[in-house]
Amino acid sequence: MVSLVTMSAPHNPYLTYVSSLAEMVHAGKQFPLGSAPIPAHPPVADDAPRALIFSPHPDDECIIGGLALRLQREAGYRVVNVAVTQGSNKARQQGRWDELTKACAYLGFDLVQTVPGGLERINAGTRIADPPHWAACVDVIARILAEQQPAVVFFPHETDWNSSHIGTYHLLVDALGRQGAGFACHVVETEFWGAMATPNLMVESSVQDLADMMTALSFHVEEVRRNPYHLLVPPWMQDNVRRGGEVVGGQGGAAPDFMFATIYRLREWKDGALNYRYDGGRILAAGATPVTLFA
């Protein structure tokens, strides 16, 4: 009779790796929400160039704002978050505004409200079915653009899945078309719900920047309490590195040695239309000045 000896399974480093990730996410669910002290921020020059983030919902500024945060911290830009909507739940609109105010204060972003409670029914269907309402909303955004005179604007791309994200794309393009003939600015299209087919920019975020964005996102207390998606921003940014290495850097190209990054499409609004600034894709590493993107 053969004796069977139970052997311990060999150590599997991948099991340790995955287990550690799962444990960290579980532990993160116990982290305090919206309780970090608001840090002091360096003063911004009165004549600093402005970067406007047109956020379809409160919280988008903390998720897709990696480049905007770098422009603020590394190039002295004044970053202004424009709250296009405050969500569709009217009972939560004031609460979401209060949370957004704290999140922007944590990052040092200025904050602009479109109208009390935010714009309503910002989607492609409204643009077709209710032209008067849509035109009034475009007027609001066109006025903000004229007042702020931004050097850079951020807004979602045209197929970012969520109806408010897609609506915000059309809202901004229509509002840009209302500006005078001499108006020009850089346009950074963002993605979150749906990947872009033609991105041309990947921007690395440092560990410090990402931690600050997550901390700011935690101020959206009721949203992340309902669904702790703030804990999943790091793996989303890691997947951006995987995908961006090829869809931005070129198929078969060497993967950048990044940990975290955001994918964008950079164009320029000039002469009444969106125009590409360069051929191919660009990758901005941490430590490289972001203003080179606009040179």
Side-chain angles (χ1 to χ4, degrees), residues 241-266:
V241 175
R242 174 199 64 81
R243 188 166 58 90
E246 301 226 3
V247 299
V248 174
Q251 187 169 330
D257 187 21
F258 292 178
M259 189 64 69
F260 307 110
T262 309
I263 292 174
Y264 301 103
R265 182 167 59 202
L266 174 60

Side-chain angles (χ1 to χ4, degrees), residues 169-233:
Y169 169 86
H170 291 291
L171 186 70
L172 263 295
V173 171
D174 288 351
L176 286 166
R178 296 272 188 93
Q179 304 307 300
F183 180 88
C185 68
H186 304 286
V187 171
V188 180
E189 292 164 87
T190 65
E191 63 174 31
F192 182 64
W193 292 104
M196 275 182 277
T198 57
N200 66 352
L201 175 62
M202 179 166 64
V203 176
E204 183 180 13
S205 285
S206 68
V207 169
Q208 183 67 62
D209 282 358
L210 176 53
D212 289 341
M213 292 163 69
M214 289 180 68
T215 305
L217 189 52
S218 80
F219 282 92
H220 294 280
V221 175
E222 295 304 320
E223 298 305 303
V224 298
R225 180 175 287 147
R226 173 182 56 84
N227 177 3
Y229 55 90
H230 62 306
L231 301 176
L232 302 180
V233 173

Side-chain angles (χ1 to χ4, degrees), residues 35 51-52 56 58 80 87 103 116 126 129 147 162 178 186 191 212 214 235:
S35 62
L52 270 58
V80 182
T126 300
E147 291 173 353
N162 181 279
R178 296 272 188 93
H186 304 286
E191 63 174 31
D212 289 341
M214 289 180 68

Side-chain angles (χ1 to χ4, degrees), residues 117-157:
L119 298 177
E120 303 278 356
R121 296 187 289 128
I122 300 303
N123 56 68
T126 300
R127 186 172 184 251
I128 296 170
D130 193 348
H133 174 78
W134 185 261
C137 294
V138 172
D139 286 345
V140 171
I141 301 301
R143 173 182 52 77
I144 292 171
L145 288 168
E147 291 173 353
Q148 296 282 336
Q149 291 294 302
V152 187
V153 295
F154 291 76
F155 56 84
H157 70 101

Side-chain angles (χ1 to χ4, degrees), residues 56-109:
H57 303 100
D59 72 10
D60 287 310
E61 76 291 340
C62 300
I63 298 171
I64 55 79
L67 175 55
L69 190 63
R70 289 189 59 180
L71 288 171
Q72 178 209 65
R73 293 180 169 181
E74 300 170 30
Y77 276 57
R78 180 180 297 279
V79 177
V80 182
N81 183 57
V82 181
V84 175
T85 84
Q86 291 169 216
S88 58
N89 183 349
K90 289 186 178 296
R92 278 278 295 136
Q93 285 174 348
Q94 184 58 50
R96 295 196 73 175
W97 175 258
D98 294 341
E99 293 169 349
L100 176 60
T101 299
K102 294 174 183 177
C104 287
Y106 188 86
L107 292 175
F109 292 175

Side-chain angles (χ1 to χ4, degrees), residues 14-25:
Y14 295 102
L15 177 60
T16 302
Y17 177 76
V18 174
S19 297
S20 298
L21 293 175
E23 289 169 5
M24 284 301 300
V25 173

